[in-house]
Amino acid sequence: MGDLLVAPKVPVMASYLAGKIYQKLGRCGDLGQLAQDRPEIIEHWQRALANLADGHSRLAELSAHLSSLSDTLVWRNGRTGPFASLRFEKSHAHTVLVGPGGIEERSDVRIGLTLMAPYSRFPDHVQFHSRVFLLLSDGEVCLDDDIWFRATRGTIFFNEAGRKFAMRCTGEPFLALWGQIEDASL
């Protein structure tokens, strides 16, 4: 993940935030909680990973690493909000890899995954932390009420704290990896 997010062609702010996250990961956290009940949405996990593996070699490698974590991920359904797809609570889940409630428990950074079923739309919401995204599937994204843009697997972008954010997908599951600094003073 780190190699992909700090590559030379990555947008400056996305690479900057990813570098800060990577630096903090030099110190290890504690072992977090283990997987529990799985929401319905998890049926789309393997399909999303298969789609990711069928592409760029770096993304295929990331797909293999994520697949190896499958049994340890704690998935949580999300809450609905403005403009979300119908039954959003059942068509979306997220998991934290590193950070509060993650596989590696720590308070300074959070790295997670967002998974959505086909034909889902994430609700409009304001993010409280600046966040870097690595899309692991094709989809569309809207930042700060701007026009929607089409993004493909491997697209990396930055969303500044306090800005509105939304995303959606069509016929395939949507998977995104994201990271943020939890407390800028740390």
Side-chain angles (χ1 to χ4, degrees), residues 99-152:
I103 297 169
E104 181 181 338
E105 183 75 39
R106 56 190 304 142
S107 61
D108 55 348
V109 300
R110 186 180 306 223
I111 298 171
L113 292 165
T114 297
L115 176 64
M116 294 191 311
Y119 302 105
S120 294
R121 186 193 191 288
F122 202 89
D124 291 1
H125 68 286
V126 174
Q127 293 185 329
F128 296 108
H129 297 89
S130 293
R131 195 175 272 183
V132 60
F133 288 86
L134 168 59
L135 295 190
L136 304 178
S137 63
D138 297 346
E140 294 181 343
V141 175
C142 183
L143 301 174
D144 211 21
D145 282 333
D146 207 354
I147 60 170
W148 286 85
F149 67 90
R150 182 131 181 84
T152 58

